[in-house]
Amino acid sequence: MAKDVLCEVNNCTFWESGNRCNATQIYVVSHKGDTAKTSKETDCQTFERQ
């Protein structure tokens, strides 16, 4: 598992200084079913607006 999860969305509840994500778990989904070819085909469902 990744030790550091970086995020530049600073209006997310889980964002902290240094572009770190402090969520206890991350949930990422694909726009195209269960596969994705690029990062643009995915979304972070963990995002919660501040």
Side-chain angles (χ1 to χ4, degrees):
M1 180 175 278
K3 291 182 181 179
D4 294 314
V5 177
L6 302 177
C7 176
E8 296 182 1
V9 184
N10 62 9
N11 69 326
C12 180
T13 300
F14 303 111
W15 183 90
E16 67 179 35
S17 179
N19 289 335
R20 303 273 185 219
C21 178
N22 68 10
T24 57
Q25 63 183 12
I26 307 297
Y27 180 44
V28 178
V29 297
S30 170
H31 299 285
K32 309 258 181 178
D34 61 357
T35 61
K37 292 181 182 178
T38 68
S39 61
K40 291 181 180 182
E41 294 179 352
T42 63
D43 280 326
C44 177
Q45 294 295 306
T46 307
F47 173 80
E48 289 182 15
R49 188 173 177 169
Q50 287 182 335

